[in-house]
Amino acid sequence: MLHKIYDSLLTLVYPQACQSCEKSVENSADGVACNSCWKQTRIFSGAETLCHKCGAFLYEKPSDYQTFCHQCDEHFYDMARAVGIYEDALSACVLNLKREPFVAQKLKKLFISTFADSPFQDATRIIPVPLSKKRFLERGFNQAEVLADTLAKETKIIVDKQSLVRKIHSPIHRAAMDRKAREMSVKNAFEVKRPRLVENKNILLIDDVFTSGATASFCAKVLKEKGADKVYVLTVARTV
Ligand SMILES: [Zn+2]
Ligand SMILES: [Zn+2]
């Protein structure tokens, strides 16, 4: 309902400036980025080779074999996929999702089709990566929940926003933080509150962006410790 009102308000104020290049966005379905920014954003089509486990972009051409980047060998999730690379239109979408709880038509379609083409079809629960209480209160919403709701509406998979919680408020990741520092900041941050709800479930974790994979990995670790079977990860974008 709120989204509908928001959408019509948004249409009223169009054209608005592209949040990536500042030219105008002609079509409200494109959201916060203009058509040419969308065109230059690398969206995964299935024709490239991604790391079979974490979904990292490896080569332009498809491969006949399952290929791994090996950076993710120790990660606890089973597989992760993203709509595309964190750049241009997709980075604008991710940044905007931290300000406005709204998913424009174009991103919605891409997110749903990335799920449909993913090997995650046996997922039985959707769990958005939680924010700490402090961050949730500051922002007023969790962008991962907004994405989870969008996908759940389409797939009819149940969303569970209660079982996984973030008990430690980690500082916002800074560009200067190296891999190890990022990992330390989320290592003990997550906890499963309702183990019975995740037991024997195949969990699809949802987040806006996949960076080092540490957040998803530590979420997967606690979920598996409480009996979750598979843990998959779906994000809007991932860094290269
Ligand atoms: Zn643009
Ligand atoms: Zn990998």
Side-chain angles (χ1 to χ4, degrees), residues 153-207:
K153 221 173 141 188
E154 191 68 24
T155 59
K156 312 286 182 242
I157 302 171
I158 295 167
V159 185
D160 174 352
K161 299 176 187 172
Q162 260 90 48
S163 295
L164 183 66
V165 296
R166 191 186 290 241
K167 54 184 179 167
I168 296 171
H169 179 75
S170 357
I172 289 178
H173 289 160
R174 293 178 202 286
M177 264 173 120
D178 65 13
R179 207 178 176 88
K180 205 82 217 143
R182 280 171 189 276
E183 273 177 27
M184 290 315 290
S185 77
V186 291
K187 191 168 194 280
N188 298 306
F190 300 97
E191 184 180 21
V192 175
K193 280 282 185 210
R194 302 183 187 189
R196 291 234 311 274
L197 294 181
V198 304
E199 226 175 64
N200 302 320
K201 298 287 189 298
N202 290 335
I203 309 285
L204 176 60
L205 273 174
I206 301 285
D207 208 355

Side-chain angles (χ1 to χ4, degrees), residues 2-239:
L2 269 177
H3 283 188
K4 273 197 181 125
I5 296 169
Y6 188 82
D7 199 19
S8 48
L9 285 175
L10 208 67
T11 314
L12 283 177
V13 297
Y14 265 82
Q16 69 165 29
C18 169
Q19 288 181 19
S20 185
C21 74
E22 295 178 7
K23 285 181 201 139
S24 73
V25 179
E26 294 87 0
N27 185 350
S28 76
D30 285 348
V32 293
C34 72
N35 195 258
S36 70
C37 284
W38 273 112
K39 279 192 180 141
Q40 63 192 24
T41 305
R42 283 171 287 174
I43 305 284
F44 300 138
S45 67
E48 60 285 287
T49 299
L50 304 178
C51 169
H52 185 69
K53 182 173 174 184
C54 74
F57 175 80
L58 298 177
Y59 328 106
E60 294 285 354
K61 296 221 165 81
S63 164
D64 293 334
Y65 310 97
Q66 288 184 358
T67 315
F68 296 86
C69 75
H70 295 297
Q71 303 268 332
C72 58
D73 287 350
E74 317 259 283
H75 286 178
F76 293 96
Y77 52 78
D78 291 274
M79 270 190 267
R81 293 294 183 268
V83 172
I85 303 282
Y86 184 76
E87 61 185 7
D88 303 307
L90 284 181
S91 63
C93 288
V94 167
L95 293 173
N96 193 65
L97 256 171
K98 296 184 199 297
R99 296 188 289 260
E100 293 172 324
F102 173 73
V103 183
Q105 205 56 36
K106 172 115 181 171
L107 181 60
K108 187 173 154 185
K109 275 193 186 155
L110 286 169
F111 199 59
I112 290 167
S113 69
T114 303
F115 170 76
D117 296 338
S118 76
F120 306 161
Q121 305 310 309
D122 60 346
T124 46
R125 283 289 181 281
I126 292 176
I127 296 189
V129 169
L131 295 178
S132 67
K133 212 173 255 175
K134 183 173 188 285
R135 175 88 17 88
F136 185 85
L137 291 173
E138 279 166 8
R139 193 169 290 164
F141 62 93
N142 174 359
Q143 70 277 19
E145 284 183 10
V146 176
L147 290 163
D149 288 337
T150 303
L151 189 67
K153 221 173 141 188
E154 191 68 24
T155 59
K156 312 286 182 242
I157 302 171
I158 295 167
V159 185
D160 174 352
K161 299 176 187 172
Q162 260 90 48
S163 295
L164 183 66
V165 296
R166 191 186 290 241
K167 54 184 179 167
I168 296 171
H169 179 75
S170 357
I172 289 178
H173 289 160
R174 293 178 202 286
M177 264 173 120
D178 65 13
R179 207 178 176 88
K180 205 82 217 143
R182 280 171 189 276
E183 273 177 27
M184 290 315 290
S185 77
V186 291
K187 191 168 194 280
N188 298 306
F190 300 97
E191 184 180 21
V192 175
K193 280 282 185 210
R194 302 183 187 189
R196 291 234 311 274
L197 294 181
V198 304
E199 226 175 64
N200 302 320
K201 298 287 189 298
N202 290 335
I203 309 285
L204 176 60
L205 273 174
I206 301 285
D207 208 355
D208 51 358
V209 62
F210 184 105
T211 308
S212 68
T215 300
S217 179
F218 288 117
C219 286
K221 182 171 188 273
V222 293
L223 288 165
K224 290 195 167 188
E225 281 167 358
K226 298 296 179 197
D229 190 5
K230 301 259 175 49
V231 178
Y232 305 123
V233 187
L234 183 67
T235 59
V236 165
R238 62 160 300 133
T239 53

